[in-house]
Amino acid sequence: MKKIILMVAACAAMVACNNGKTTANNESSDTTAADTVAADSAIYEGMTPAADVYGIKYRVALAQDSTNGFSLSEAYMKSETEIDTASNYNGKYEIVKKDVNGKSNTYYQFALGADDKATFLVLNDSTLRMVNSDFEEAVAKEGMNYDLKLQK
């Protein structure tokens, strides 16, 4: 598990230096780069339900400065531990303020390519919840949710 976390952190560091280009996962033993990403970012992780695979594991690192930089990894899982395919994205996230059902909410939007965005509702200081493009929350099956929890 430590090796996977280190690999994801190293990939996030390499993606952050790639000026918004999508890359494949690369293994790296550069722990200095991984430590820098972890020290300068708020990291959220979680697995969401999926129709054709076990689930989709997300890892989002948000820069803790005014740049609004992000690094997002998305892994389609064959099982709880086996990855089918993975993609990494980085760039600047957008903060959206929107009234939904009479309540003012804050959302983070991440560009995942030319025509694709991932949108997360900021529930509180430690939880982001994935929503659809209309800012609606999905109905989760029992035991599953669309939340990413703050790791660091």
Side-chain angles (χ1 to χ4, degrees):
M1 185 66 178
K2 287 181 183 179
K3 187 176 182 181
I4 292 172
I5 291 171
L6 180 60
M7 182 177 70
V8 170
C11 289
M14 290 187 298
V15 168
C17 296
N18 204 14
N19 296 327
K21 297 177 184 170
T22 303
T23 63
N25 281 346
N26 295 313
E27 287 194 46
S28 174
S29 60
D30 184 1
T31 57
T32 305
D35 292 341
T36 302
V37 170
D40 295 342
S41 302
I43 299 171
Y44 295 86
E45 293 180 343
M47 187 167 332
T48 64
D52 297 333
V53 293
Y54 181 81
I56 304 171
K57 185 179 272 189
Y58 287 93
R59 183 179 188 281
V60 179
L62 302 176
Q64 294 294 300
D65 56 23
S66 62
T67 64
N68 285 0
F70 79 90
S71 174
L72 183 145
S73 66
E74 177 182 63
Y76 288 79
M77 306 299 291
K78 286 183 181 178
S79 67
E80 191 171 334
T81 58
E82 186 181 0
I83 296 173
D84 183 33
T85 60
S87 299
N88 294 307
Y89 307 93
N90 69 315
K92 290 187 177 189
Y93 63 91
E94 188 177 335
I95 299 172
V96 177
K97 303 276 187 182
K98 187 165 182 68
D99 288 338
V100 176
N101 298 325
K103 183 180 176 188
S104 179
N105 293 319
T106 301
Y107 299 86
Y108 294 148
Q109 285 191 323
F110 306 98
L112 306 181
D115 297 325
D116 193 15
K117 288 185 180 179
T119 304
F120 290 88
L121 166 65
V122 179
L123 282 180
N124 54 46
D125 292 340
S126 63
T127 308
L128 302 178
R129 177 169 292 157
M130 181 176 265
V131 296
N132 67 17
S133 60
D134 294 324
F135 302 94
E136 299 168 333
E137 295 183 35
V139 177
K141 296 178 183 175
E142 187 176 326
M144 300 185 96
N145 64 52
Y146 290 84
D147 294 349
L148 307 185
K149 297 290 186 176
L150 182 66
Q151 302 299 310
K152 189 168 183 175

